[in-house]
Amino acid sequence: MTDDLADALTSVGPRLRALRQRGEATLAQLSATTGISVSTLSRLEAGQRKPTLELLLPLARAHGVTLDELVEAPPSEDPRVQAEPITRHGRTYVPLTRQAGGPQAYKVVMPPGQTPDDTGGLKTHEGYEWLYVLSGRLRLMIGEHDLVLGVGEAAEFDTRLPHWLGSAGKGPAEVLSLFGPQGERMHVRAKPRSKD
């Protein structure tokens, strides 16, 4: 048990007593409201009984507080990713994941007018990449293919194939990129194209 959790559970008893006394209720009255025996309530308030969810739910309801208020739960970690953007070869990479290893997500902003020569040519490396065009037009050179993708289009490929990406329009291209170690592939379900 973590120290924060132990501290939160230890402080429940005094908090229960203070809430009951503030409401000017006796243990017998609270017992009648919650269905919890007077002896259990007394032991909870004295810290002689460990609070359980089955005990805390009716007590929170009776006192008109949330469970978080009753136990003063420690604040949860901020889930927002607040990584600093990285700029390389005139491109901006905004990390969207904070865990090392496993699939990594980036928003990539590519300026217009770049060619493979500007960024070191077609590259190869271990991994697998999935791309989704958020705005602009993306030029994707991979192997012998030279493709242009528009907003809402996606591509996935083995990064051991020589590849390069850049803006294909007069403005920047913004792309969501998911990259993972070799063998990790994204599974995207899409509606099949109708045969017209």
Side-chain angles (χ1 to χ4, degrees):
M1 183 181 316
T2 67
D3 291 340
D4 286 344
L5 181 57
D7 291 344
L9 291 177
T10 301
S11 65
V12 168
R15 195 169 299 109
L16 285 171
R17 178 176 289 120
L19 285 168
R20 180 178 58 79
Q21 290 173 344
R22 187 175 63 200
E24 298 180 357
T26 65
L27 286 172
Q29 291 168 327
L30 188 57
S31 174
T33 304
T34 62
I36 300 170
S37 72
V38 170
S39 66
T40 298
L41 291 171
S42 177
R43 289 180 22 233
L44 274 172
E45 287 185 2
Q48 297 169 347
R49 167 121 189 214
K50 185 185 251 184
T52 64
L53 193 56
E54 290 82 13
L55 296 171
L56 293 177
L57 283 173
L59 287 168
R61 197 173 308 122
H63 292 303
V65 296
T66 66
L67 271 177
D68 282 351
E69 291 170 314
L70 190 60
V71 298
E72 279 191 5
S76 60
E77 184 179 329
D78 187 346
R80 294 174 293 183
V81 176
Q82 298 176 351
E84 290 293 318
I86 304 161
T87 302
R88 285 196 188 119
H89 301 293
R91 299 171 179 203
T92 302
Y93 298 83
V94 181
L96 302 175
T97 49
R98 54 181 164 184
Q99 302 294 357
Q104 298 294 305
Y106 296 90
K107 177 182 175 185
V108 185
V109 181
M110 294 170 240
Q114 286 187 329
T115 67
D117 293 336
D118 297 329
T119 58
L122 276 69
K123 303 284 187 190
T124 62
H125 49 88
E126 287 293 314
Y128 207 85
E129 189 162 0
W130 179 86
L131 302 167
Y132 179 84
V133 181
L134 297 167
S135 68
R137 293 168 38 92
L138 175 71
R139 182 178 181 195
L140 170 61
M141 297 172 71
I142 181 161
E144 51 194 60
H145 300 284
D146 191 346
L147 308 166
V148 175
L149 285 75
V151 173
E153 289 190 285
E156 64 178 331
F157 56 94
D158 186 327
T159 57
R160 291 178 297 178
L161 293 170
H163 63 280
W164 178 86
L165 356 142
S167 174
K170 294 181 180 180
E174 292 187 357
V175 175
L176 175 62
S177 171
L178 301 177
F179 175 81
Q182 183 58 33
E184 290 189 21
R185 297 182 66 162
M186 305 311 300
H187 297 282
V188 179
R189 302 274 186 259
K191 182 179 173 184
R193 290 185 180 179
S194 60
K195 296 181 181 180
D196 293 328

